[in-house]
Amino acid sequence: MNKIRIELLDIVALTVDLPEYNLYRGQVGAAVELLAGGAAFEVEFSDAYGGLRLRSGRTYESIGLRPEQIMVLHFEPASPDSVRSMVTV
């Protein structure tokens, strides 16, 4: 169960496949609207940055999703006390 609170404009990734919408686990979108009092979210999926055209991506799907269908992506350590370490394989 997703215990992290999802906020508007959070960057999220799908945790499930939705082939009927041509969306698959791992695809990244943005939570753009709260639905059903926060019980669901409108998530917008856009293509990548427009490169030489200097424009933002174009939306290719916008769909209502439940919190358990998405996860918030984090770009910083979860805790300020986290110590970075190198992982080798």
Side-chain angles (χ1 to χ4, degrees):
M1 181 170 187
N2 190 347
K3 295 181 182 185
I4 303 231
R5 182 179 163 109
I6 299 169
E7 303 284 340
L8 279 181
L9 303 180
D10 275 348
I11 303 302
V12 298
L14 277 175
T15 59
V16 296
D17 291 334
L18 300 171
E20 62 274 22
Y21 296 100
N22 201 28
L23 295 170
Y24 297 91
R25 186 170 50 103
Q27 283 187 272
V28 176
V32 296
E33 188 174 344
L34 296 173
L35 304 174
F41 303 88
E42 184 77 18
V43 178
E44 190 173 278
F45 295 89
S46 301
D47 58 10
Y49 174 74
L52 296 176
R53 295 183 187 175
L54 300 176
R55 60 171 171 76
S56 59
R58 289 180 291 192
T59 300
Y60 59 85
E61 190 64 67
S62 186
I63 183 173
L65 297 169
R66 296 180 312 277
E68 62 270 15
Q69 294 177 297
I70 54 179
M71 65 180 286
V72 176
L73 298 181
H74 301 277
F75 299 96
E76 297 176 1
S79 163
D81 299 329
S82 296
V83 176
R84 295 178 189 228
S85 61
M86 182 178 290
V87 177
T88 58
V89 221

